[in-house]
Amino acid sequence: MINIWRLTKLQLLSTFGLNKALHTKDAKERRKQLLVSLAIVCGVLLAAVFSFGYSYAMAAAFEQIGRLDLLLAIMMAVTSVVAFFTTVYKAGGVLFSYKDYDLLMSLPVKTSHVVASRVLQLYVLNLFFTLIVMLPAGVVYALKVRPEAYYYLLFVPLLLSIPFIPIIAATVVGALISWVSSRFRASRMINLVLTLLFVVVLILGSFTLDGNQPELADLGTGLADMIFKLYPLAELYVDAISAYRVDAFLVFTLLSVLSFAVFCTVLGTRYKAIHTGLSTSRAGRKYTMQPLKASTAFQALYRKELRRYFSSSIYVLNTGIGMVLLFIMSVALLFTSPEQLGQLADVPQLQQYLNTLAPIFVSFFVALSCTTSSSISLEGNHLWILRSSPVPKHIILLSKVAVNLTITVPVTVVSCVLLMISLGTEWLESLLLLVIPVIYACFSALTGVIVNLKLPKLEWTTEVQVVKQSAAVLVAMLLSFVSLLVPLALKFLLTGLDGKVIMLGIGVILAGLCAGMYRYLKNAGERLFLGL
Amino acid sequence: MLTIRQFSKSYKGGKKAVHNLSLTVEKGDIYGFIGHNGAGKTTTIRAVVGVLDFEEGEIEIDGISMKKDPLACKSRIAYIPDNPDLYDHLTGIQYLGFIGDLFNVSRKDRELLIAKYGGAFQLTPHLGDLISGYSHGMKQKLAIISALIHKPKLLVLDEPFVGLDPKAAHTLKTIMAEVCSEGSAIFFSTHVLDTAEKLCNKIAIIKEGRLIAGGKTEDVKGENSLEEVFMELIDHD
């Protein structure tokens, strides 16, 4: 067991850059790490405060129907569903794609322990989210209900158990997909397609679950039914914690621990075979010299970057899912009229809001699809090739921006045209709907590449550390979301002003910012790139 | 072809990795750069190829300052690091095409040179495979081919023989002599003193960041073997 802890500790030190922060002698680097850590702590605290406020507001509603236990149920279910969703597409990467595989597997450690350490890495990452959501909810519940001491005794161990089952379920799916993919020649592409299909099916499935909501007569029972249908273990959790049922507590804890142990043991038996299948590239036919093509440096860099993008399933899934969701929603809106949506959401003016704010709605998905914020970090050990190449470095950076635009712009334009049809927008609204998300795509791609230049993470063992957990990705996403919140806030604050004027103003400002960032890359790109 | 004048580089924290190093590599030279681990060889090489920024001293490639015009310098250099990490997601031929494009190699030249060097290193049949499936030696061969296809004026190699099988090592030595006879120059680091002694017309020995011997091979080693001179200098100088 001690080996599991040792391996997990090793990965966590690398994941959060803790070791580097603790041992670096470079004052500038230490300052940067400190600032990033401070920003993360502030972000976590802010999220915890929001979570508390949200729980408090929900508790007030549940109090009226006499079902405060539903607060814990709904928060626990949401935490688990989010843990499942966010783990399912990184599970394969964390389990099987890491650079120190050979080193770890050559150590005198059981394979099941190596698997356990990989799963625990996912567990720790999800535990943060669980704590942010469940701790404030637990405090609100305690303030409102004033429960017995048993509540506190049961709350803490159950809190630690919550992420296990969704993570194991997600890693089972991830491992199964990896296992199936490993049997094919194009294993990476199959892995990517299967994971994407699974996530899409899951999302479509969740739509049908929501559809039952209006038919439920009794709100309290209805909501409980819905939560327990969404995540049956929530019922067990609520029974244990609010009714102090020790049997439910024991079943929940045992299920969590056993599922973890069984999964690690079973996967341990097939682990090496799956890894070998995934990592072995089969030799093609004997290559014979053929006529070759020459192209410009930019085209070569663009092609290289595009191939890099599609070679990593975690990269594609993390940055492509936004575009997939946008397209699905745009198609779905063709079959649901805005009036129906307004009735469903109980917002009569929904169509008016949608028509004005649709560019921001689309831009939200564009912001989720920023590939550039991790594109420099992903160069990792290969950076020497670009640094020693006789190509102006801003060309390298712009090739990364071009790949991001290739991922976002075509899907965005098609989705916007579909939205124009479904929302019946007038000409100016249509123009804004088409132009603003495209400007946002440029803004997001340029911001991403600049942030990644400032906050590179070139030393990593798995792509997940770069694509999902690096400071550059978090900061770029935060900046994009802030830039989306500004027009939303203006729309609701400046009620007298036409929403279209606000959008027009935002479009002009963003275009100006894009031009500024382009100039910055051209002027300072060389220095920043060589300073990496 | 390569002039290093009073080059110094400090680690973060102040300790000097290389101190006041000067040397000149001329056209046709095969210049060996020798020193124990951590002596400052890789630091010097990385500065020469424009990968490492430096403040003190001057480095010129073909008369052009690396500080003032790094792109012009880089277009004249081919660099192979000690452990060439290449793009695993590309096939060998895609990688060569990529490098060819960056160095603006014509279609005709790249076809000719890839065929020539691919054949010499017996790598042509594997060029259609993904680099992720290559052995260390195959990656090293691919890196060498990629360095040669743009006909560099200066070839900078960090431990080029590591990972190569005896036949490939022999091929590389032959090619090194060939490119230098055509007017290019080679600056390379190695721990294989026998090879350096036979191959290089000039040698520099570096210890703790300082150049302790340099010049024509026969002048540096005198009547002794290079190994004896190296041991003597490292142990007692």
Side-chain angles (χ1 to χ4, degrees):
Chain A
M1 290 297 276
I2 188 77
N3 283 334
I4 299 178
W5 165 237
R6 284 178 181 141
L7 295 178
T8 310
K9 193 174 83 176
L10 186 80
Q11 288 154 30
L12 292 176
L13 282 175
S14 144
T15 302
F16 297 111
L18 286 175
N19 222 31
K20 206 174 169 188
L22 287 172
H23 298 290
T24 183
K25 287 176 182 157
D26 180 3
K28 198 177 154 194
E29 180 67 33
R30 187 174 285 183
R31 213 168 33 244
K32 194 160 81 179
Q33 296 277 0
L34 192 75
L35 279 173
V36 169
S37 310
L38 265 175
I40 291 173
V41 169
C42 287
V44 167
L45 284 177
L46 200 68
V49 170
F50 272 120
S51 169
F52 185 84
Y54 193 70
S55 284
Y56 208 86
M58 278 181 74
F62 290 133
E63 210 170 12
Q64 286 177 0
I65 55 169
R67 290 295 302 266
L68 265 170
D69 57 322
L70 287 182
L71 171 70
L72 292 175
I74 202 163
M75 288 311 206
M76 186 268 190
V78 165
T79 309
S80 303
V81 170
V82 169
F84 180 80
F85 264 99
T86 54
T87 307
V88 80
Y89 59 90
K90 66 181 169 195
V94 172
L95 283 176
F96 300 108
S97 300
Y98 51 99
K99 286 183 187 171
D100 49 353
Y101 172 85
D102 286 10
L103 178 73
L104 283 185
M105 294 302 285
S106 67
L107 296 172
V109 178
K110 280 185 186 171
T111 309
S112 58
H113 288 186
V114 174
V115 176
S117 71
R118 309 303 302 180
V119 177
L120 280 178
Q121 189 186 349
L122 292 166
Y123 167 79
V124 172
L125 294 172
N126 278 289
L127 189 62
F128 279 111
F129 181 71
T130 307
L131 291 176
I132 290 171
V133 176
M134 288 310 293
L135 263 182
V139 171
V140 169
Y141 180 82
L143 286 173
K144 295 270 183 189
V145 176
R146 306 268 169 206
E148 295 174 27
Y150 288 120
Y151 167 77
Y152 301 98
L153 277 175
L154 297 171
F155 184 76
V156 176
L158 282 174
L159 185 69
L160 299 177
S161 305
I162 289 171
F164 269 115
I165 291 173
I167 284 173
I168 297 300
T171 32
V172 165
V173 175
L176 270 175
I177 289 175
S178 298
W179 178 70
V180 172
S181 318
S182 70
R183 309 175 86 83
F184 290 91
R185 189 181 169 87
S187 58
R188 283 180 188 169
M189 195 46 79
I190 302 277
N191 193 314
L192 177 66
V193 170
L194 285 179
T195 315
L196 211 55
L197 265 177
F198 181 79
V199 174
V200 168
V201 166
L202 222 57
I203 291 166
L204 292 176
S206 70
F207 284 163
T208 58
L209 199 73
D210 283 342
N212 296 333
Q213 194 181 348
E215 293 162 20
L216 301 168
D218 176 357
L219 187 64
T221 323
L223 199 58
D225 278 352
M226 205 184 86
I227 297 164
F228 299 150
K229 194 175 160 190
L230 181 72
Y231 191 52
L233 284 168
E235 193 169 4
L236 207 59
Y237 176 79
V238 168
D239 279 350
I241 206 152
S242 60
Y244 317 126
R245 274 183 50 195
V246 178
D247 56 337
F249 167 78
L250 286 175
V251 171
F252 189 86
T253 313
L254 269 175
L255 267 177
S256 302
V257 176
L258 272 179
S259 61
F260 172 69
V262 169
F263 174 75
C264 295
T265 311
V266 172
L267 184 60
T269 60
R270 301 295 305 150
Y271 190 64
K272 273 190 260 186
I274 297 174
H275 185 275
T276 309
L278 285 172
S279 59
T280 311
S281 54
R282 287 171 208 174
R285 278 177 297 165
K286 231 176 176 181
Y287 184 80
T288 46
M289 281 304 293
Q290 289 152 9
L292 300 174
K293 284 180 191 156
S295 57
T296 63
F298 179 80
Q299 287 167 334
L301 288 161
Y302 173 79
R303 268 202 310 273
K304 188 273 297 177
E305 195 64 25
L306 206 59
R307 283 190 184 119
R308 174 71 182 94
Y309 181 73
F310 285 108
S311 73
S312 165
S313 54
I314 181 73
Y315 197 14
V316 175
L317 287 166
N318 201 53
T319 56
I321 197 76
M323 287 296 106
V324 174
L325 287 176
L326 173 65
F327 184 70
I328 291 175
M329 286 187 189
S330 307
V331 173
L333 273 173
L334 285 176
F335 304 100
T336 317
S337 73
E339 291 86 23
Q340 279 175 298
L341 268 181
Q343 282 167 5
L344 222 80
D346 208 17
V347 183
Q349 313 93 328
L350 188 71
Q351 169 141 32
Q352 191 198 333
Y353 282 128
L354 271 179
N355 284 15
T356 320
L357 294 176
I360 301 299
F361 168 77
V362 176
S363 301
F364 168 76
F365 292 98
V366 170
L368 287 178
S369 311
C370 179
T371 63
T372 49
S373 56
S374 50
S375 60
I376 295 168
S377 300
L378 280 170
E379 291 287 344
N381 294 338
H382 306 134
L383 197 69
W384 70 271
I385 300 170
L386 299 179
R387 289 176 73 178
S388 61
S389 67
V391 179
K393 301 302 173 260
H394 73 272
I395 299 283
I396 296 171
L397 301 172
L398 289 178
S399 73
K400 292 176 186 294
V401 172
V403 168
N404 200 160
L405 295 180
T406 308
I407 308 300
T408 50
V409 172
V411 182
T412 302
V413 169
V414 171
S415 302
C416 285
V417 171
L418 294 176
L419 283 172
M420 282 175 209
I421 298 166
S422 59
L423 295 174
T425 48
E426 54 169 91
W427 76 268
L428 186 58
E429 287 168 344
S430 302
L431 186 70
L432 288 169
L433 179 54
L434 203 62
V435 172
I436 290 196
V438 172
I439 298 176
Y440 249 108
C442 299
F443 175 77
S444 162
L446 286 162
T447 309
V449 87
I450 290 173
V451 171
N452 201 187
L453 273 172
K454 300 277 184 188
L455 296 169
K457 183 180 174 63
L458 297 163
E459 290 155 26
W460 41 269
T461 49
T462 149
E463 288 168 349
V464 175
Q465 290 171 350
V466 179
V467 175
K468 286 200 72 73
Q469 294 149 9
S470 64
V473 170
L474 298 176
V475 171
M477 192 160 280
L478 192 73
L479 287 175
S480 292
F481 285 158
V482 168
S483 66
L484 287 169
L485 282 175
V486 171
L488 272 183
L490 286 175
K491 163 76 186 154
F492 289 106
L493 288 174
L494 306 172
T495 41
L497 202 62
D498 189 345
K500 290 191 276 287
V501 177
I502 296 174
M503 287 298 142
L504 209 61
I506 289 292
V508 171
I509 292 170
L510 280 176
L513 283 173
C514 288
M517 285 194 281
Y518 175 79
R519 275 176 68 94
Y520 179 68
L521 278 185
K522 245 186 140 176
N523 296 332
E526 191 87 23
R527 179 177 53 80
L528 291 170
F529 196 87
L530 289 175
L532 287 170
Chain B
M1 190 60 65
L2 164 66
T3 309
I4 304 176
R5 273 194 296 269
Q6 296 174 317
F7 164 68
S8 294
K9 180 72 195 170
S10 301
Y11 291 121
K12 284 165 184 167
K15 197 191 167 203
K16 291 241 169 182
V18 182
H19 187 77
N20 210 19
L21 187 137
S22 298
L23 59 84
T24 305
V25 181
E26 289 173 71
K27 255 186 186 177
D29 277 350
I30 301 184
Y31 205 122
F33 197 38
I34 299 165
H36 56 77
N37 296 328
K41 299 187 299 291
T42 300
T43 303
T44 307
I45 283 179
R46 293 181 76 230
V48 164
V49 300
V51 168
L52 186 73
D53 207 15
F54 63 96
E55 297 80 33
E56 289 180 63
E58 181 60 271
I59 293 174
E60 285 177 3
I61 311 291
D62 203 14
I64 304 163
S65 163
M66 179 56 85
K67 273 185 188 165
K68 288 178 189 151
D69 195 351
L71 292 189
C73 289
K74 287 176 185 179
S75 63
R76 288 162 168 79
I77 300 175
Y79 166 54
I80 305 171
D82 53 350
N83 187 10
D85 281 300
L86 309 177
Y87 292 117
D88 286 345
H89 60 281
L90 299 183
T91 64
I93 195 71
Q94 283 171 343
Y95 179 71
L96 293 176
F98 172 68
I99 294 294
D101 287 337
L102 295 194
F103 281 85
N104 209 11
V105 181
S106 71
R107 196 173 61 85
K108 199 177 149 198
D109 274 0
R110 73 176 76 177
E111 280 175 8
L112 201 76
L113 293 171
I114 291 173
K116 177 183 170 183
Y117 294 120
F121 284 108
Q122 297 177 316
L123 198 67
T124 307
H126 308 288
L127 287 179
D129 301 341
L130 279 174
I131 296 173
S132 57
Y134 280 19
S135 67
H136 180 87
M138 286 161 82
K139 283 184 189 172
Q140 185 78 353
K141 288 177 186 177
L142 186 68
I144 293 169
I145 298 169
S146 74
L148 293 166
I149 57 168
H150 54 92
K151 296 189 202 159
K153 289 190 168 179
L154 177 68
L155 208 58
V156 182
L157 317 169
D158 199 355
E159 296 290 350
F161 298 104
V162 173
L164 291 183
D165 57 61
K167 185 171 183 332
H170 176 75
T171 307
L172 178 59
K173 287 177 208 165
T174 312
I175 292 172
M176 283 166 84
E178 183 190 303
V179 295
C180 287
S181 69
E182 289 165 2
S184 295
I186 294 173
F187 182 59
F188 78 104
S189 75
T190 184
H191 288 299
V192 190
L193 299 179
D194 257 6
T195 304
E197 187 173 350
K198 285 178 194 153
L199 200 63
C200 303
N201 64 324
K202 284 182 188 165
I203 274 174
I205 300 176
I206 185 172
K207 182 187 176 185
E208 290 168 3
R210 292 170 191 271
L211 196 71
I212 53 171
K216 288 185 176 167
T217 308
E218 56 268 25
D219 295 342
V220 170
K221 73 183 183 74
E223 294 298 308
N224 302 307
S225 73
L226 184 61
E227 189 178 24
E228 285 166 340
V229 175
F230 180 76
M231 297 312 291
E232 174 75 17
L233 287 169
I234 291 299
D235 288 341
H236 302 295
D237 201 17

